[in-house]
Coordinates of all heavy atoms in Angstrom, one line a residue:
D1 N -7.5 1.1 26.7 CA -8.1 2.0 27.7 C -9.5 2.3 27.3 O -10.0 3.4 27.2 CB -7.4 3.3 27.9 CG -6.0 3.1 28.5 OD1 -5.9 2.1 29.3 OD2 -5.1 3.8 28.2
E2 N -10.2 1.3 26.8 CA -11.6 1.3 26.4 C -11.9 2.2 25.1 O -13.0 2.6 24.8 CB -12.6 1.7 27.6 CG -12.5 0.7 28.7 CD -13.3 1.2 29.9 OE1 -14.3 1.9 29.7 OE2 -13.0 0.6 30.9
E3 N -10.9 2.5 24.4 CA -11.1 3.3 23.2 C -10.4 2.7 22.0 O -9.4 1.9 22.1 CB -10.3 4.7 23.4 CG -10.9 5.5 24.5 CD -10.4 6.9 24.5 OE1 -9.4 7.2 25.1 OE2 -11.0 7.8 23.8
E4 N -11.1 2.9 20.8 CA -10.5 2.2 19.6 C -9.4 2.9 19.1 O -9.5 4.2 18.9 CB -11.7 2.1 18.6 CG -11.2 1.3 17.3 CD -12.4 1.1 16.3 OE1 -12.7 2.2 15.6 OE2 -12.9 0.0 16.3
C5 N -8.2 2.3 18.9 CA -7.1 3.0 18.5 C -6.5 2.3 17.2 O -6.9 1.2 16.9 CB -5.9 2.8 19.5 SG -6.4 3.6 21.1
L6 N -5.7 3.0 16.4 CA -5.1 2.5 15.2 C -3.7 2.0 15.6 O -3.0 2.7 16.4 CB -5.0 3.6 14.1 CG -6.4 4.2 13.7 CD1 -6.2 5.3 12.8 CD2 -7.1 3.0 13.0
V7 N -3.2 1.0 14.9 CA -1.8 0.5 15.1 C -1.3 0.1 13.7 O -2.2 -0.2 12.8 CB -1.8 -0.8 16.0 CG1 -2.0 -0.3 17.4 CG2 -2.7 -1.9 15.6
I8 N -0.1 0.1 13.5 CA 0.5 -0.2 12.2 C 0.8 -1.8 12.2 O 1.1 -2.4 13.2 CB 1.8 0.5 11.9 CG1 2.2 0.3 10.5 CG2 2.9 0.1 13.0 CD1 2.8 1.5 9.9
L9 N 0.6 -2.4 11.0 CA 0.9 -3.8 10.8 C 2.1 -3.9 10.0 O 2.7 -2.9 9.4 CB -0.3 -4.5 10.2 CG -1.6 -4.4 10.8 CD1 -2.7 -5.0 10.0 CD2 -1.5 -5.3 12.2
P10 N 2.8 -5.0 9.9 CA 3.9 -5.3 9.2 C 3.9 -4.7 7.7 O 4.9 -4.0 7.3 CB 4.2 -6.7 9.1 CG 3.6 -7.2 10.4 CD 2.3 -6.3 10.5
R11 N 2.8 -4.9 7.0 CA 2.7 -4.4 5.7 C 2.8 -2.8 5.7 O 3.3 -2.2 4.8 CB 1.4 -4.9 5.0 CG 1.2 -4.5 3.6 CD 0.0 -5.1 3.0 NE 0.0 -4.8 1.6 CZ -1.1 -5.0 0.9 NH1 -2.1 -5.8 1.4 NH2 -1.2 -4.7 -0.4
G12 N 2.2 -2.2 6.6 CA 2.2 -0.8 6.8 C 3.6 -0.2 7.1 O 4.1 0.8 6.7
R13 N 4.3 -1.0 8.0 CA 5.7 -0.6 8.3 C 6.6 -0.7 7.1 O 7.4 0.2 6.8 CB 6.3 -1.6 9.3 CG 5.8 -1.4 10.8 CD 6.7 -2.2 11.7 NE 5.9 -2.4 13.0 CZ 5.9 -1.3 13.8 NH1 6.4 -0.1 13.6 NH2 5.2 -1.5 15.0
E14 N 6.4 -1.7 6.2 CA 7.1 -1.8 5.0 C 6.9 -0.6 4.1 O 7.9 0.1 3.6 CB 6.8 -3.0 4.2 CG 7.2 -4.3 4.8 CD 6.7 -5.5 4.0 OE1 6.3 -5.4 2.8 OE2 6.7 -6.6 4.6
I15 N 5.6 -0.2 4.0 CA 5.3 1.2 3.3 C 5.9 2.3 3.9 O 6.6 3.1 3.1 CB 3.8 1.2 3.2 CG1 3.1 0.2 2.3 CG2 3.4 2.7 2.7 CD1 1.6 0.2 2.4
A16 N 5.9 2.5 5.2 CA 6.4 3.6 5.8 C 7.9 3.6 5.6 O 8.4 4.7 5.3 CB 6.1 3.6 7.3
E17 N 8.6 2.5 5.8 CA 10.1 2.6 5.7 C 10.5 2.7 4.3 O 11.7 3.4 4.0 CB 10.7 1.3 6.4 CG 10.4 1.3 7.8 CD 10.6 -0.1 8.5 OE1 10.9 -1.0 7.8 OE2 10.4 -0.1 9.7
S18 N 9.8 2.1 3.4 CA 10.4 2.2 2.0 C 10.0 3.5 1.3 O 10.7 4.0 0.4 CB 9.8 1.0 1.1 OG 8.4 1.0 1.0
L19 N 8.9 4.2 1.6 CA 8.4 5.2 1.0 C 8.6 6.6 1.8 O 8.2 7.7 1.3 CB 7.0 5.1 0.5 CG 6.7 4.0 -0.4 CD1 5.2 3.8 -0.8 CD2 7.5 4.2 -1.7
E20 N 9.0 6.6 3.1 CA 9.0 7.7 3.8 C 9.9 8.9 3.2 O 9.6 10.0 3.3 CB 9.6 7.5 5.2 CG 11.1 7.4 5.4 CD 11.5 7.2 6.8 OE1 11.4 6.1 7.3 OE2 12.1 8.1 7.4
T21 N 10.8 8.5 2.4 CA 11.7 9.6 1.7 C 10.9 10.3 0.6 O 11.3 11.3 0.1 CB 12.9 9.1 1.2 OG1 12.7 8.1 0.3 CG2 13.9 8.6 2.4
T22 N 9.7 9.8 0.2 CA 8.9 10.4 -0.9 C 8.2 11.6 -0.2 O 7.7 12.4 -0.9 CB 7.9 9.4 -1.5 OG1 7.0 8.9 -0.5 CG2 8.5 8.2 -2.1
L23 N 7.9 11.5 1.1 CA 7.2 12.7 1.7 C 8.3 13.7 2.0 O 9.4 13.5 2.4 CB 6.7 12.3 3.1 CG 5.6 11.2 3.0 CD1 5.3 10.7 4.5 CD2 4.4 11.7 2.3
P24 N 7.8 15.0 1.8 CA 8.9 16.2 2.1 C 9.3 16.1 3.6 O 8.4 15.8 4.4 CB 8.0 17.4 1.8 CG 6.9 16.9 0.8 CD 6.7 15.5 1.2
K25 N 10.4 16.5 3.8 CA 11.0 16.4 5.1 C 10.2 17.3 6.1 O 9.9 16.9 7.3 CB 12.5 16.9 5.2 CG 13.1 16.8 6.6 CD 14.5 17.2 6.5 CE 15.1 17.1 7.9 NZ 16.3 17.8 8.1
T26 N 9.8 18.4 5.6 CA 9.0 19.4 6.5 C 7.6 18.8 6.9 O 7.2 18.9 8.0 CB 8.7 20.7 5.8 OG1 8.1 20.5 4.6 CG2 10.0 21.5 5.6
V27 N 7.0 18.0 6.0 CA 5.7 17.4 6.2 C 6.0 16.3 7.3 O 5.2 16.2 8.3 CB 5.1 16.7 5.0 CG1 4.0 15.8 5.3 CG2 4.7 17.8 4.0
R28 N 7.0 15.5 7.1 CA 7.3 14.4 8.2 C 7.6 15.1 9.6 O 7.0 14.7 10.5 CB 8.5 13.6 7.7 CG 8.3 12.8 6.5 CD 9.4 11.8 6.2 NE 10.9 12.5 6.4 CZ 11.6 12.7 5.3 NH1 11.3 12.3 4.1 NH2 12.8 13.2 5.5
E29 N 8.4 16.0 9.6 CA 8.7 16.8 10.9 C 7.4 17.4 11.5 O 7.1 17.1 12.7 CB 9.7 17.9 10.6 CG 11.0 17.3 10.4 CD 12.1 18.4 10.0 OE1 11.7 19.6 9.8 OE2 13.3 18.0 9.9
K30 N 6.7 18.1 10.7 CA 5.4 18.7 11.3 C 4.5 17.7 11.8 O 3.9 17.8 12.9 CB 4.7 19.5 10.3 CG 5.4 20.9 9.9 CD 4.6 21.5 8.9 CE 5.2 22.9 8.5 NZ 4.3 23.6 7.4
A31 N 4.3 16.5 11.0 CA 3.3 15.6 11.4 C 3.8 14.8 12.7 O 3.1 14.6 13.6 CB 3.1 14.5 10.3
V32 N 5.1 14.4 12.8 CA 5.5 13.7 13.9 C 5.6 14.6 15.1 O 5.2 14.2 16.2 CB 7.0 13.2 13.7 CG1 7.7 12.7 15.0 CG2 6.9 12.1 12.7
N33 N 6.0 15.9 15.1 CA 5.9 16.7 16.2 C 4.4 17.0 16.7 O 4.2 17.1 17.9 CB 6.5 18.1 15.9 CG 8.0 18.1 15.7 OD1 8.7 17.2 16.2 ND2 8.6 19.0 14.9
S34 N 3.6 17.1 15.8 CA 2.1 17.4 16.1 C 1.6 16.0 16.8 O 0.9 16.1 17.8 CB 1.4 17.7 14.9 OG 0.0 17.9 15.2
A35 N 2.0 14.9 16.2 CA 1.4 13.6 16.9 C 2.0 13.4 18.2 O 1.3 12.9 19.1 CB 1.8 12.5 15.9
I36 N 3.3 13.8 18.4 CA 3.9 13.6 19.8 C 3.2 14.5 20.7 O 2.9 14.1 21.8 CB 5.4 13.8 19.7 CG1 6.1 12.6 19.0 CG2 6.0 14.0 21.1 CD1 7.5 13.0 18.6
K37 N 2.9 15.8 20.4 CA 2.2 16.7 21.2 C 0.8 16.2 21.5 O 0.4 16.3 22.7 CB 2.1 18.1 20.5 CG 1.5 19.1 21.2 CD 1.4 20.4 20.4 CE 0.5 21.4 20.8 NZ 0.4 22.6 20.0
I38 N 0.2 15.7 20.5 CA -1.2 15.3 20.8 C -1.3 14.0 21.7 O -2.1 13.9 22.6 CB -2.0 15.0 19.4 CG1 -2.2 16.4 18.9 CG2 -3.3 14.2 19.6 CD1 -2.7 16.4 17.4
T39 N -0.3 13.1 21.5 CA -0.3 11.8 22.4 C 0.1 12.2 23.7 O -0.3 11.7 24.7 CB 0.5 10.7 21.7 OG1 1.9 11.3 21.6 CG2 0.0 10.2 20.5
T40 N 1.0 13.2 24.0 CA 1.4 13.6 25.2 C 0.3 14.3 25.9 O 0.1 14.1 27.1 CB 2.7 14.6 25.1 OG1 3.7 14.0 24.4 CG2 3.1 15.1 26.5
L41 N -0.5 15.1 25.2 CA -1.6 15.7 25.8 C -2.7 14.7 26.2 O -3.3 14.7 27.3 CB -2.3 16.7 24.8 CG -3.5 17.4 25.3 CD1 -3.1 18.4 26.4 CD2 -4.0 18.4 24.2
A42 N -2.9 13.7 25.4 CA -3.9 12.6 25.7 C -3.4 11.9 27.0 O -4.2 11.5 27.9 CB -4.0 11.6 24.5
R43 N -2.0 11.5 27.1 CA -1.6 10.8 28.3 C -1.8 11.8 29.5 O -2.2 11.3 30.6 CB -0.1 10.5 28.1 CG 0.4 9.7 29.2 CD 1.8 9.2 29.1 NE 2.7 10.2 28.8 CZ 3.4 10.2 27.6 NH1 3.3 9.5 26.7 NH2 4.3 11.3 27.5
S44 N -1.5 13.1 29.3 CA -1.6 14.0 30.4 C -3.1 14.0 30.9 O -3.4 14.1 32.1 CB -1.2 15.4 30.0 OG -1.3 16.3 31.2
E45 N -4.0 14.0 30.0 CA -5.5 14.0 30.3 C -5.9 12.8 31.1 O -6.7 12.9 32.0 CB -6.3 14.1 29.1 CG -6.3 15.5 28.4 CD -7.0 15.5 27.1 OE1 -7.4 14.4 26.6 OE2 -7.1 16.5 26.5

């Protein structure tokens, strides 16, 4: 949509899947909830 966006690549997926448990659960939950809220707002805009 004419905007530069970030996407994950296979190497990044491996990092996310293998190391996600190293992040505190509260950090993961807050970050995902916030990201969903922000992307929903962007779609609504």
